Amino acid sequence: MTTVRSRGRSRPAAPPAAGEGAAPRRSLLRRLSVPVAVLAGAVVLGGCNAPTFGAFRGATTQGRDEFKIWVGFVITGLAVAAIVWGLIFWTVLRHRRKSHDEMPRQFHENIPLEIIYTTLPIVIVGVLFYFTVVTENEIDAVSSHPAEIVHVLGYRWGWQFTYDAGDGRAQGVQIATTAQPALLAQPATSKEYPQLVLPVGETVRIVLTSADVVHGFYIPELNFSRYAQPGVVNVFDFNPTRAGVFRGQCSEFCGLYHSEMLFSVRVMSDSAFQHWLSTEQVHQAGAGTGAAS
Ligand SMILES: [Cu+2]
């Protein structure tokens, strides 16, 4: 049931004197001015972060796709909120009681309006669902010819990254957690934790699994998280778009030293990556596996 208008018949009353009613309205506006100013200030200050709406822009094509749909969802939500809040405040202010003996005209239905506010949300959800499916398919798509393949193994309490040539031939480069479980309280990018090195502008296949319990392979600045599950192999691609060092962590509580399951991702130029890879091959062939330098 909907009440769409309250303007209407009033009980007979003595006509107001000239100027009567203006004073209460000014008083109401004065009372509303402070909360409205506080709300506007909060919106303006919160707007310092407006371009990303609190998310990362992504450092891979997959992460950027994720960022785009995030922005679309936030803008859609804000538009809906603006319409709903606008109608609420307009109704409260425009149709507030103006005299104690007023009885507004009574309604109990409005079929066209009810059809609109039933179908419009369904259309909005349908559009958001469509773009969600499109984005998920883009993120989950894997190349048939990745430039590099990295096998990622999660285990209590660390990560192991093993590089593959892409044709099934292991390159002999393995980066793994070497620190003993302890509350190191170091940043994820420190050398106590392993580093996954990737070339910018190339397709890198990640083959993810777990040796024991469920872990979460989470890199916030790539807008990416995927379970590392024992007995299950998750395969996905990264296409890094810019160089940098990004922190990573386990996002699934897995036991006592879950907080120590940190790592980082370093994205560098392809030539620098090839140099790093060949250097690691030589180094590890003679000295065994070690932490990223
Ligand atoms: Cu964990």
Side-chain angles (χ1 to χ4, degrees), residues 16 18 81 90 95 154 165 171 180 206 216 283:
W90 176 78
H95 297 291
Q171 290 174 317
Q180 294 299 310
I206 305 293
H283 174 70

Side-chain angles (χ1 to χ4, degrees), residues 15-65:
E20 191 177 322
R25 187 170 299 180
R26 276 200 299 272
S27 171
L28 177 67
L29 292 175
R30 206 175 298 127
R31 282 202 299 272
L32 286 174
S33 62
V34 173
V36 167
V38 170
L39 184 64
V43 170
V44 170
L45 290 175
C48 296
N49 219 11
T52 63
F53 298 108
F56 290 104
R57 294 183 184 279
T60 59
T61 54
Q62 293 81 5
R64 288 185 174 185
D65 289 340

Side-chain angles (χ1 to χ4, degrees), residues 5-235:
R5 289 189 301 167
S6 63
R7 185 192 306 171
R9 202 168 47 211
S10 298
R11 290 173 184 166
E20 191 177 322
R25 187 170 299 180
R26 276 200 299 272
S27 171
L28 177 67
L29 292 175
R30 206 175 298 127
R31 282 202 299 272
L32 286 174
S33 62
V34 173
V36 167
V38 170
L39 184 64
V43 170
V44 170
L45 290 175
C48 296
N49 219 11
T52 63
F53 298 108
F56 290 104
R57 294 183 184 279
T60 59
T61 54
Q62 293 81 5
R64 288 185 174 185
D65 289 340
E66 194 76 41
F67 174 70
K68 286 176 193 167
I69 197 169
W70 161 255
V71 170
F73 267 65
V74 171
I75 290 176
T76 304
L78 289 175
V80 171
I83 293 171
V84 172
W85 292 339
L87 288 173
I88 289 174
F89 283 116
W90 176 78
T91 304
V92 168
L93 294 174
R94 176 70 179 80
H95 297 291
R96 69 186 184 280
R97 188 169 68 175
K98 299 179 181 64
S99 65
H100 288 287
D101 57 353
E102 179 184 3
M103 174 57 71
R105 196 148 57 96
Q106 301 298 300
F107 289 84
H108 59 82
E109 64 184 33
N110 186 305
I111 300 300
L113 190 59
E114 289 172 10
I115 290 175
I116 289 173
Y117 74 55
T118 301
T119 55
L120 198 57
I122 294 174
V123 171
I124 292 173
V125 170
V127 171
L128 293 178
F129 180 77
Y130 168 78
F131 283 109
T132 300
V133 171
V134 169
T135 303
E136 280 188 349
N137 287 340
E138 289 173 352
I139 292 171
D140 290 339
V142 290
S143 167
S144 55
H145 297 94
E148 293 291 334
I149 297 178
V150 184
H151 297 267
V152 177
L153 179 69
Y155 58 91
R156 291 180 294 186
W157 316 95
W159 299 94
Q160 177 181 285
F161 309 127
T162 306
Y163 287 76
D164 194 300
D167 56 1
R169 180 169 47 85
Q171 290 174 317
V173 172
Q174 193 173 82
I175 309 298
T177 301
T178 54
Q180 294 299 310
L183 294 176
L184 296 172
Q186 298 293 320
T189 52
S190 70
K191 291 187 176 179
E192 274 76 14
Y193 303 110
Q195 189 168 70
L196 174 64
V197 182
L198 303 176
V200 70
E202 299 288 346
T203 300
V204 180
R205 167 77 41 79
I206 305 293
V207 182
L208 175 68
T209 191
S210 168
D212 37 48
V213 299
V214 178
H215 301 282
F217 182 70
Y218 176 40
I219 308 156
E221 286 185 72
L222 269 55
N223 292 329
F224 191 89
S225 180
R226 191 67 51 97
Y227 277 143
Q229 298 170 276
V232 176
V233 177
N234 279 323
V235 178

Side-chain angles (χ1 to χ4, degrees), residues 215 250-254 258 261:
H215 301 282
C250 178
S251 58
E252 182 70 18
F253 181 70
C254 53
H258 159 70
M261 287 190 63

